[in-house]
Amino acid sequence: MFTLKEKQYLLLLLKRQNRRSLLGFRKKDPVHDRLVEKLEQMIRNEQVNSKHL
């Protein structure tokens, strides 16, 4: 299991990778968008849950 900081860092790396692929350097893997979406949801859930605990 990853900590909140680790998840945020992974999300940052994925978003940076996405910017590079948009500029035409690399073709983006179809899994990329799903991973970004899942990480964002996990971060939101963890932040909401930490406020209520």
Side-chain angles (χ1 to χ4, degrees), residues 11 14-15 17-19 21-22 27-41:
L11 182 60
L14 284 170
K15 286 186 175 184
Q17 181 69 29
N18 189 32
R19 278 189 230 127
S21 67
L22 288 176
K27 186 175 180 181
K28 188 169 59 170
D29 191 358
V31 177
H32 183 91
D33 289 332
R34 283 184 280 157
L35 284 175
V36 168
E37 189 176 316
K38 284 183 181 184
L39 269 174
E40 287 173 340
Q41 184 63 43

